[in-house]
Amino acid sequence: MGLDPGLRRLALGTLLAAYPGPVPPDWAVDLVADGLAGHTLFGTNVHDPSQVAASTAALRVGRADVLIAIDEEGGDVTRLAHATGSPYPGNAALGAIGDVALTRRVYQAIGAELAALGITVNLAPTVDVNTADDNPVIGTRSFGADPVRVAAHSAAAVTGLQAAGVAACAKHFPGHGATVTDSHHELPTVDVPLALLRQRDLPPFAAVVAAGARAVMTAHIRVPALTGTGPATFSRAVLVDLLRTEYGFTGTVITDALEMKGAAVAAGGVGPAAVRALAAGADLLCIGAKVDAELVERVAAEIVDALTDGRLATSRVEEAAGRAAALATWTRIAGESPATPETNLGYAAARRAVQVDGILTGLGRPLVVQLHTESTIAEGRVPWGLGPHLDGVQEIRVIAAETDKATLRELAGDRPIVLVGRHLHRLPGGPDLIAGLAAEHPVTVVEMGWPAQWRPTGVRAFVTTYGASHANGRAAAEALGLAG
């Protein structure tokens, strides 16, 4: 016996799915027609602007107000520019600049690009306060380590996106910035008193709620003082008592991807995770990136079963689907008057973010050495570094822990060396390689990740970009006098 059509449609109305490839398959469009709330676009769905616009138009054949979401944070996390790197600096760079009006303009420009392609929800900005230098998943995605600064820029980002007709989704509630593990791989724990959470992690969320953010994304993190043994995504104390009752949020609560181990393992699978998230107060369930029709139907069936056996109240799922539909209505109305993108705004902003400690004169044509750094799942494999911007300058790429400094000195000869990396303070072999080279050779270091408190000793200059986007790379190459 098949699912009750009405209950299936109700369940689908709470789901944000995805599909493989650049062209929406028939099943993806058919599910939209059957009531699916929407789809999230990932890098595998993006080839070029005209193709993306054609894809969103195809999805609207299923239903005109389908939600089409994307992670377009600028900086290190980009889907539209995954092949080249983002033309915008990310949050860390904007926070370092400290110009709230600029942050608003950058996010409005990002929103304008999304709106022009038919994308209606940006799963951004990241408003986590990055207080852990070794945070493996937030880092440069954060506006900084100061809650007041992060709150101001977070509100500006939300205002800018929504002025362009694209709904903002602030993430990751109640704050992923103090974690030292990645919720894509495991369930991180932030074991702090609620009073510290209110002082350190929650002010940016209060700011985005006040700024009218249409959506907030949950974090797959464990905060024992609030969530007990499970993640915030499954905690009514977090999603209802804190976010809705205390902070007054009336928009749509969107989960982080339920396929992530921080959620799926805790619940015993994506389907059970969907039921637990709905029961806790989530409205729109992001299934993940690796999605097919069978998975969507399986999750919908799990929700219907929960409605039937009493694990979920019908009123709760109707409330969730209603909030997802209200978000769709807002995007349809707001998208009728989109903004116009500002050309080259991101590159100008990235130049303002570059900070130089030391002397950059006399570099000539150095040997540029890029130290390999693994990308996070959130970032994906996006090109970074100075390479695309160099003019007549040799660049090599090495793994720090496998590289002999004598070999680099021999290759450089009488040329100075420019070492480029991300999160150098925690890169295996990175600090030792830099220190060893600098003791015997002129070395300039370019940090394109979270700069932390670490500083290399003995180098001619330490250049910080606060991100590794295409715009950040161009700005660094210009500062060094190496750009074409």
Side-chain angles (χ1 to χ4, degrees), residues 129 147 173-174 192-206 223 225-226 237 241-243 246-247:
V129 182
F173 191 79
V192 298
L194 183 55
L196 178 56
L197 207 68
R198 294 187 197 281
Q199 177 186 1
R200 182 188 66 187
D201 299 280
L202 290 172
F205 291 99
V223 185
L226 281 171
D241 298 345
L242 186 61
L243 180 57
E246 183 171 337
Y247 284 92

Coordinates of all heavy atoms in Angstrom, one line a residue, residues 129 147 173-174 192-206 223 225-226 237 241-243 246-247:
V129 N 30.7 33.0 16.0 CA 31.9 33.8 16.5 C 33.0 32.8 16.7 O 33.0 31.9 17.5 CB 31.5 34.4 17.9 CG1 32.7 35.2 18.4 CG2 30.3 35.2 17.8
P147 N 32.2 39.1 19.7 CA 30.7 39.0 19.4 C 30.1 40.2 19.0 O 29.1 40.2 18.2 CB 30.2 38.5 20.8 CG 31.3 37.9 21.5 CD 32.6 38.6 21.0
F173 N 23.0 28.0 14.4 CA 22.5 28.2 15.8 C 22.6 26.9 16.6 O 22.3 25.8 16.2 CB 21.0 28.6 15.7 CG 20.4 29.1 16.9 CD1 20.6 30.4 17.3 CD2 19.6 28.3 17.7 CE1 20.1 30.9 18.5 CE2 19.0 28.7 18.9 CZ 19.3 30.0 19.3
P174 N 23.1 27.1 17.9 CA 23.3 28.3 18.7 C 24.8 28.8 18.7 O 25.2 29.5 19.5 CB 22.9 27.9 20.1 CG 23.3 26.4 20.2 CD 23.0 25.9 18.8
V192 N 29.9 24.4 27.8 CA 30.1 25.7 28.5 C 28.7 26.0 29.2 O 27.7 25.6 28.7 CB 30.5 26.8 27.5 CG1 31.8 26.6 26.9 CG2 29.4 27.1 26.5
P193 N 28.8 26.9 30.2 CA 27.5 27.3 30.8 C 26.7 28.2 29.9 O 27.2 28.8 29.0 CB 28.0 28.2 32.0 CG 29.4 27.8 32.2 CD 30.0 27.4 30.9
L194 N 25.4 28.1 30.0 CA 24.5 28.9 29.2 C 24.9 30.4 29.3 O 24.7 31.1 28.3 CB 23.1 28.7 29.6 CG 22.0 29.4 28.8 CD1 22.1 29.0 27.3 CD2 20.6 29.0 29.3
A195 N 25.3 30.9 30.4 CA 25.7 32.3 30.5 C 26.8 32.7 29.6 O 26.8 33.8 29.0 CB 26.1 32.6 32.0
L196 N 27.8 31.8 29.4 CA 28.9 32.1 28.4 C 28.3 32.0 27.0 O 28.7 32.9 26.2 CB 30.0 31.1 28.6 CG 31.2 31.2 27.6 CD1 31.8 32.6 27.7 CD2 32.2 30.2 27.9
L197 N 27.4 31.1 26.7 CA 26.8 31.1 25.4 C 26.1 32.4 25.1 O 26.2 32.9 23.9 CB 25.9 29.9 25.3 CG 25.6 29.2 24.0 CD1 26.9 28.5 23.5 CD2 24.5 28.2 24.1
R198 N 25.4 32.9 26.0 CA 24.7 34.1 25.8 C 25.6 35.3 25.6 O 25.3 36.2 24.8 CB 23.8 34.5 27.0 CG 22.7 33.5 27.3 CD 21.8 34.0 28.4 NE 20.9 33.0 29.0 CZ 19.8 32.6 28.4 NH1 19.4 33.2 27.3 NH2 19.0 31.7 29.0
Q199 N 26.7 35.3 26.3 CA 27.7 36.4 26.2 C 28.5 36.3 24.9 O 28.8 37.3 24.2 CB 28.6 36.4 27.4 CG 29.7 37.4 27.4 CD 30.7 37.2 28.5 OE1 30.5 36.3 29.4 NE2 31.6 38.1 28.6
R200 N 28.9 35.1 24.5 CA 29.9 34.9 23.4 C 29.3 34.5 22.1 O 29.6 35.0 21.0 CB 30.9 33.8 23.9 CG 32.0 33.5 22.9 CD 32.8 32.3 23.3 NE 32.0 31.0 23.3 CZ 32.4 29.9 23.8 NH1 33.5 29.8 24.3 NH2 31.6 28.8 23.6
D201 N 28.4 33.5 22.1 CA 27.9 32.9 20.8 C 26.6 33.4 20.3 O 26.3 33.4 19.1 CB 27.8 31.4 21.0 CG 29.1 30.8 21.3 OD1 29.9 30.6 20.4 OD2 29.4 30.5 22.5
L202 N 25.7 33.9 21.2 CA 24.3 34.2 20.8 C 24.1 35.6 20.3 O 23.1 35.8 19.6 CB 23.4 33.8 22.0 CG 23.2 32.3 22.2 CD1 22.4 32.1 23.5 CD2 22.6 31.6 21.0
P203 N 24.9 36.6 20.7 CA 24.6 38.0 20.2 C 24.4 38.1 18.7 O 23.5 38.9 18.3 CB 25.8 38.8 20.8 CG 26.2 38.1 22.0 CD 26.0 36.6 21.7
P204 N 25.2 37.5 17.9 CA 25.0 37.6 16.4 C 23.6 37.1 16.0 O 23.0 37.7 15.1 CB 26.1 36.8 15.8 CG 27.2 36.8 16.8 CD 26.5 36.7 18.1
F205 N 23.1 36.1 16.7 CA 21.8 35.5 16.3 C 20.7 36.5 16.8 O 19.7 36.7 16.0 CB 21.6 34.1 16.9 CG 22.5 33.1 16.3 CD1 23.6 32.7 16.9 CD2 22.1 32.6 15.1 CE1 24.5 31.8 16.3 CE2 23.0 31.6 14.4 CZ 24.1 31.2 15.1
A206 N 20.9 37.1 17.9 CA 19.9 38.2 18.3 C 19.9 39.3 17.3 O 18.9 39.9 17.0 CB 20.3 38.7 19.7
V223 N 25.5 20.9 23.0 CA 25.7 21.8 24.1 C 25.1 21.2 25.3 O 23.9 21.4 25.5 CB 25.2 23.2 23.7 CG1 25.5 24.2 24.8 CG2 25.6 23.7 22.4
A225 N 24.6 21.9 28.3 CA 23.7 22.7 29.2 C 22.3 22.9 28.6 O 21.4 23.2 29.3 CB 24.4 24.1 29.4
L226 N 22.2 22.7 27.2 CA 21.0 22.9 26.6 C 20.4 21.6 25.9 O 19.2 21.4 26.0 CB 21.1 24.0 25.4 CG 21.1 25.4 25.8 CD1 21.5 26.3 24.6 CD2 19.8 25.9 26.3
A237 N 14.7 22.6 23.4 CA 15.1 23.7 24.3 C 15.9 24.8 23.5 O 15.9 25.9 23.8 CB 16.0 23.1 25.3
D241 N 12.4 27.0 22.8 CA 12.6 27.8 24.1 C 13.6 28.9 23.9 O 13.3 30.0 24.3 CB 13.0 26.9 25.2 CG 12.1 25.8 25.5 OD1 10.9 25.8 25.1 OD2 12.4 24.8 26.2
L242 N 14.7 28.7 23.2 CA 15.7 29.7 23.1 C 15.5 30.6 21.9 O 15.3 31.8 22.0 CB 17.1 29.1 23.0 CG 18.3 30.0 23.0 CD1 18.3 30.9 24.3 CD2 19.6 29.2 22.9
L243 N 15.4 30.0 20.7 CA 15.4 30.7 19.4 C 14.0 31.4 19.3 O 14.0 32.6 19.0 CB 15.7 29.8 18.2 CG 15.6 30.5 16.9 CD1 16.6 31.7 16.8 CD2 15.9 29.4 15.8
E246 N 12.6 33.0 23.5 CA 13.5 34.0 24.1 C 13.9 35.1 23.1 O 13.9 36.3 23.4 CB 14.7 33.4 24.7 CG 15.6 34.4 25.4 CD 16.7 33.7 26.3 OE1 16.6 32.6 26.6 OE2 17.7 34.4 26.5
Y247 N 14.3 34.6 21.9 CA 14.8 35.6 20.9 C 13.8 36.1 19.9 O 14.0 37.0 19.2 CB 16.0 35.0 20.1 CG 17.3 35.0 21.0 CD1 17.6 33.9 21.8 CD2 18.1 36.1 21.0 CE1 18.7 33.9 22.6 CE2 19.2 36.1 21.8 CZ 19.5 35.0 22.6 OH 20.6 35.0 23.4

